Amino acid sequence: ASIIGYRTKKIIYMGIRNKLCTVCQTAESSGKKASKHECFKNWDGTSTSMESDIIVDGFNQSLSTHNVIYDKLIGDDISTRRKCSSGTVVPCFLRKILKDKRLKLRCAVTKAIAYRKESNLQYNEKVALLKQDIMNSPYHVFGNHNGCASYFCNGPKENEVNLVPQMESCGLWVDILGARNIVAHHSSSLIYNVNNNMVEGFNSVIAKHVGGKRVNFSCRGSYNARCNTAATSFNYGPSFLSRIHKKVTKLYKKKKLFAGPDEDYGALELGCEIIDM
């Protein structure tokens, strides 16, 4: 996991957690004592808790490494999973409608965030109004416009059907509101309208350098080296190899300057005479 600066878009901290060391594992399986080596195993916890531990470690080292205190964290939450709350069968047409309107649910939230962020109000007022908009967004998408703000919509459209009662009767609406409540709970951070796409982009650079997990490089230091190479590549761009070469060898190739033609340029020697062209 890594921490990337919001303004600089550069990696300011990167941590690696490894649960395996080939030398230690081989010695343990053979019942022998491991020889002296550099052990890269530095984690005994669960794999899902690696990322949070690295982020906490990065925040703890912010003063010693950069002499700053990190104020806010932009991240995603992939640990929350919600199952269906009831065992009732949801009609097929409602499942299809929900699938088709997933993008509209997202659009309703993003448009509300963009509008409330630009409003000329205090921060607390923006958050409160955004939370109201998010709480109302499922009703708007599925045809109930009683609680819509004036900027949000102009009321029901022609031939629009209110699907909320049908979803309530089969239990589907409870699950939709549960997901909505999770999003609305984060209104105080959603109002900033930022994302962690830069970190996801860095993860793709790591995947390129480690071969997309097709080969297990985590047994020794190869994975650490490849992650460090990926970080250098991400920060410096396509010229990172030349930068590394200059830093290591301290050699800088000087450009040759062309001095122009000399006085005999174009002269043709025939015997001892020079013919003027």
Side-chain angles (χ1 to χ4, degrees):
S2 60
I3 299 176
I4 296 180
Y6 173 69
R7 292 183 175 85
T8 62
K9 310 300 182 186
K10 303 293 184 181
I11 300 171
I12 55 180
Y13 181 81
M14 184 183 70
I16 300 173
R17 298 292 182 267
N18 202 329
K19 300 174 67 174
L20 179 66
C21 175
T22 302
V23 177
C24 296
Q25 187 181 39
T26 303
E28 183 180 358
S29 60
S30 60
K32 299 179 181 179
K33 184 179 179 180
S35 59
K36 186 177 180 181
H37 67 286
E38 183 180 0
C39 184
F40 291 94
K41 181 180 179 180
N42 58 2
W43 186 251
D44 291 320
T46 61
S47 299
T48 54
S49 59
M50 288 181 178
E51 182 176 350
S52 58
D53 182 75
I54 293 173
I55 299 303
V56 171
D57 191 30
F59 270 65
N60 290 335
Q61 298 184 31
S62 63
L63 279 174
S64 59
T65 55
H66 302 290
N67 198 28
V68 295
I69 298 177
Y70 302 147
D71 183 36
K72 293 180 176 63
L73 172 66
I74 302 171
D76 55 357
D77 184 6
I78 59 174
S79 61
T80 303
R81 296 289 184 270
R82 288 185 56 85
K83 297 182 179 179
C84 184
S85 59
S86 65
T88 57
V89 178
V90 179
C92 181
F93 79 97
L94 288 179
R95 295 200 302 268
K96 186 177 185 305
I97 290 175
L98 178 60
K99 181 180 178 180
D100 294 339
K101 293 196 174 185
R102 286 180 302 177
L103 186 59
K104 287 189 176 181
L105 288 168
R106 178 186 181 277
C107 184
V109 175
T110 55
K111 294 299 182 181
I113 293 172
Y115 180 83
R116 295 304 182 187
K117 180 184 179 181
E118 299 300 328
S119 60
N120 190 20
L121 298 172
Q122 296 295 327
Y123 170 77
N124 293 335
E125 295 176 329
K126 291 182 180 180
V127 172
L129 292 174
L130 175 60
K131 188 172 184 178
Q132 292 179 10
D133 292 339
I134 295 176
M135 297 291 284
N136 180 70
S137 59
Y139 291 93
H140 165 78
V141 172
F142 294 106
N144 187 338
H145 302 279
N146 295 333
C148 293
S150 58
Y151 83 92
F152 208 80
C153 75
N154 298 321
K157 299 179 182 178
E158 186 178 357
N159 299 326
E160 185 178 12
V161 179
N162 184 4
L163 298 171
V164 175
Q166 300 180 58
M167 291 183 171
E168 288 177 339
S169 62
C170 67
L172 178 60
W173 192 247
V174 175
D175 293 332
I176 294 176
L177 295 186
R180 176 209 62 180
N181 293 339
I182 295 175
V183 178
H185 176 71
H186 296 285
S187 298
S188 57
S189 58
L190 291 174
I191 195 66
Y192 292 103
N193 198 19
V194 293
N195 54 56
N196 64 335
N197 290 345
M198 293 298 298
V199 178
E200 300 299 337
F202 173 58
N203 290 337
S204 67
V205 177
I206 293 179
K208 182 185 74 172
H209 283 80
V210 301
K213 298 182 180 179
R214 290 189 295 270
V215 180
N216 184 14
F217 292 110
S218 61
C219 298
R220 292 300 303 276
S222 179
Y223 185 79
N224 296 44
R226 290 169 185 271
C227 288
N228 291 327
T229 304
T232 307
S233 171
F234 185 85
N235 279 348
Y236 292 108
S239 62
F240 79 99
L241 286 176
S242 62
R243 285 175 174 264
I244 293 176
H245 176 75
K246 292 177 181 179
K247 195 71 175 179
V248 173
T249 62
K250 297 182 180 180
L251 295 177
Y252 296 88
K253 186 177 180 181
K254 296 181 179 180
K255 294 183 178 179
K256 294 183 178 180
L257 299 178
F258 182 66
D262 56 15
E263 58 182 0
D264 297 326
Y265 178 77
L268 179 63
E269 293 187 7
L270 293 176
C272 297
E273 297 181 359
I274 298 178
I275 300 177
D276 294 332
M277 302 297 292

